[in-house]
Amino acid sequence: MGFLLSLSLAAAADSLVAFRVEGGTAIAEPLTGKRGDPVEGARIAAGRTQGNCLACHALPMPEEKLQGDVGPDLKGVASRLGEGELRLRVVNPKLVNPETAMPAYYRVDGLYRVRKDLVGKPILTAEQVEDVVAYLATLKE
Ligand code: HEC
């Protein structure tokens, strides 16, 4: 028990932030309490290591030659989805569609509060999720 207790204390200091899913369709509040940086978000979305959104989506970035079509073209996505809906899709699209091929970038369990020692590190930090959401929110038609 002593070992388990110290393990969970260590993990608690390093846990994912808690958040609320409104009506199963949106996370209204920024994970970090403030909106992210859209320029940094575009960089993360186009980056091939962490975001890698271009593996599956097209983005309005003509300089990026390799764009995917597994998922919908994200040009104009902010005209279809609100900021809270965009945030939920980046955090965990499986809460919208359990069958989706899209990865959960900030994965959590049914309580929406999971320690990293149980699920592994999220693909994006809370700050990076907010940067990506801020970028997506600029994609209006
Ligand atoms: C492995 C493929 C894959 C990757 C990588 C991926 N997505 Fe997706 N995404 C999808 C698919 C497929 C859908 C269609 C909806 C579904 O499956 O439920 C989708 C849907 C979406 C939607 C909703 C679009 C709409 O019009 O309803 C958004 C927003 C989105 N993705 C953003 C992102 C962002 C941002 C990234 C990178 C951080 C990303 N996706 C990475 C496959 C992917």
Side-chain angles (χ1 to χ4, degrees), residues 51-53 56-57 70-72 74 80 89 97 100-103 105 132:
N52 205 13
C53 313
C56 294
H57 293 283
V70 175
L74 295 180
R80 300 193 290 278
R89 276 161 180 82
N97 170 15
T100 188
M102 180 165 157
Y105 284 89
V132 170

Side-chain angles (χ1 to χ4, degrees), residues 6-7 36 38 40 62 78 83 85 114 122 126 130:
S6 53
L7 193 69
E40 179 62 11
E83 183 196 294
E85 294 170 310
V114 170
E130 290 309 320

Side-chain angles (χ1 to χ4, degrees), residues 37-86:
D37 170 5
V39 174
E40 179 62 11
R43 203 188 60 74
I44 295 164
R48 295 295 174 177
T49 50
Q50 280 186 298
N52 205 13
C53 313
L54 290 169
C56 294
H57 293 283
L59 289 167
M61 297 177 174
E63 70 282 10
E64 294 289 341
K65 296 302 171 211
L66 292 173
Q67 306 217 1
D69 60 5
V70 175
D73 189 333
L74 295 180
K75 177 165 71 69
V77 72
S79 301
R80 300 193 290 278
L81 299 173
E83 183 196 294
E85 294 170 310
L86 293 169

